[in-house]
Amino acid sequence: MTTAELRIDGVRVAGHPALAVDAGGPRVVVTTDIGPRILSVTLPDGTGEGLLASLPELFIDRPGWPSFQLHGGHRLWAGPETPETTYLPDDGPVTVSRDDQGVACSWLEPQTRLRRTIAIRPTADTVVVDHQLANEGASSATVTPWAITMCTPGGEAWIPRYMGPGDAHGVLPNGALVTWPYTRLSDERLDLRDPVIRLRAVAGAPGPCKVGVTGPAEWIAYRLAGSVLVKRAPYRAGATYPDMGASLQCYSGGAFLEIETLGPLTTLAPGALIDHRETWSLHAIDPDMGSDAVLAMLGLDQP
C-alpha cells in the first residue's frame, strides 16, 4: 500500500453536491446531500468510468409507505432485510467530517435511531471504505452492516467459493450456496463453476437472480469491459451471519447488479456500534481478455 497526498474536491454528480476524494490512485465521489452514497470510483486514466450504476429514477415502492430512492452507486444498509425498516428513505443531508486520512459521511435514521456512516480513506493503490452502524436509540437493535455496490449491466460478477476443508480430516461440509425464492439454478446468467461462481448482469432481464456463499472467502468482484472492481472484507470465523450465513452475496436484476459483503449479526445496546471494512481495488484490464485469465492475473483464481 502506497501513501500519497490526500485531495478532497467539491463536485456535482447527477445533480448532487458531492466530494471527490483521492490520494493519487482510485478517486471516489461521495454525496453530501443524501445517503450517504458513493456514486463513482475511477482511476486517473478513466478506468472505472460508468462501472457503478447511476439510477436516479429507480425507486422501491410499497403501498402505504414512503418510496426508497436507490440512486445507484454504493450504500450501507442495516440488515437483515426487513422492508419496514430497510427501505426507509435516506434523502436528507448527511453529516460530513474530514481529517488527514479522508472523509466520513453519516446519516441518522429518525425512525430507528441507527446512524449509518461511510468513511473513505484512499491511498495511491486502494480505497478503504469503513462502514459503521451506531445505535443512538433507547432500546437494543440486532443488525448487520450490509455494504451494497450497484454496478452497471453488461459485465460479470465473480463470487469465490471456499475450497478448503471444513475440518481436519476433510469429511465435513465446508460451505453452502444460498439462494432466494426467485433464484433459478437454470438461469442463463448464472455459471456455477469452481472455484469462482459467475453471475452476469444483463440489461432488461425479466427477473432477478441472487446467490450467496458461506465460509471464509474474503472478496467479491465485478468486471465490466476494461475494468475490474474488487472488494475485500474480512470473514470472522465463529461469528453469526444473516441470510443462512451468506457473508458474500450477489444480486442480478434488469437495471443493475449488486456485489455485497456483510458483517456479523450483532445486538447493539444503546450507544453501541459495529464496524465493517471493505478495501477496494480497481484494475484496468484488456477488455478482450477472458475471465479465467483475468482472475489468474489478479490472483483471484485460488480462493
Side-chain angles (χ1 to χ4, degrees):
M1 182 179 293
T2 304
T3 58
E5 183 178 355
L6 177 70
R7 298 187 304 179
I8 303 174
D9 300 311
V11 297
R12 291 191 71 87
V13 177
H16 297 287
L19 295 174
V21 187
D22 77 271
R27 180 177 186 261
V28 169
V29 176
V30 60
T31 54
T32 57
D33 65 333
I34 57 167
R37 294 284 193 288
I38 295 174
L39 293 184
S40 72
V41 55
T42 55
L43 294 179
D45 65 0
T47 296
E49 188 69 40
L51 189 148
L52 297 193
S54 178
L55 299 163
E57 306 302 324
L58 189 62
F59 292 81
I60 297 176
D61 289 317
R62 296 174 301 139
W65 295 82
S67 295
F68 180 85
Q69 188 171 4
L70 284 158
H71 296 288
H74 177 83
R75 69 187 185 275
L76 169 62
W77 264 357
E81 189 166 6
T82 305
E84 290 78 7
T85 55
T86 305
Y87 306 157
L88 290 170
D90 58 359
D91 291 331
V94 300
T95 301
V96 179
S97 61
R98 310 185 190 193
D99 58 27
D100 59 0
Q101 292 185 308
V103 169
C105 299
S106 70
W107 161 257
L108 178 60
E109 199 168 69
Q111 295 91 335
T112 64
R113 302 298 296 176
L114 281 175
R115 181 174 294 278
R116 292 179 283 170
T117 302
I118 295 178
I120 300 160
R121 314 292 186 207
T123 74
D125 307 305
T126 64
V127 179
V128 175
V129 184
D130 283 322
H131 308 79
Q132 184 182 92
L133 297 176
N135 184 5
E136 298 187 9
S139 58
S140 296
T142 300
V143 294
T144 181
W146 185 7
I148 305 171
T149 307
M150 304 180 76
C151 301
T152 301
E156 180 180 75
W158 298 330
I159 310 104
R161 178 180 160 233
Y162 175 63
M163 303 296 288
D167 67 291
H169 303 288
V171 296
L172 296 180
N174 68 342
L177 177 71
V178 179
T179 62
W180 276 252
Y182 47 79
T183 303
R184 298 293 178 266
L185 297 183
S186 58
D187 195 304
E188 293 183 351
R189 292 167 292 182
L190 183 61
D191 183 351
L192 295 174
R193 75 174 74 178
D194 295 322
V196 179
I197 297 168
R198 326 289 169 93
L199 183 58
R200 293 189 300 118
V202 179
C209 181
K210 184 171 186 178
V211 295
V213 293
T214 69
E218 296 187 317
W219 64 267
I220 191 168
Y222 185 68
R223 184 244 180 108
L224 179 65
S227 304
V228 178
L229 174 65
V230 183
K231 304 200 306 176
R232 291 176 170 84
Y235 177 81
R236 300 184 188 179
T240 299
Y241 286 87
D243 300 340
M244 298 183 177
S247 58
L248 301 176
Q249 302 179 11
C250 182
Y251 173 99
S252 183
F256 59 89
L257 178 142
E258 293 177 334
I259 50 174
E260 311 168 3
T261 73
L262 293 89
L265 196 62
T266 305
T267 298
L268 299 180
L273 55 83
I274 182 173
D275 293 304
H276 176 64
R277 171 168 290 184
E278 290 185 339
T279 301
W280 293 13
S281 59
L282 183 60
H283 307 270
I285 60 167
D286 181 346
D288 296 323
M289 185 180 290
S291 59
D292 288 341
V294 176
L295 285 162
M297 182 181 70
L298 299 179
L300 300 176
D301 57 340
Q302 299 295 326

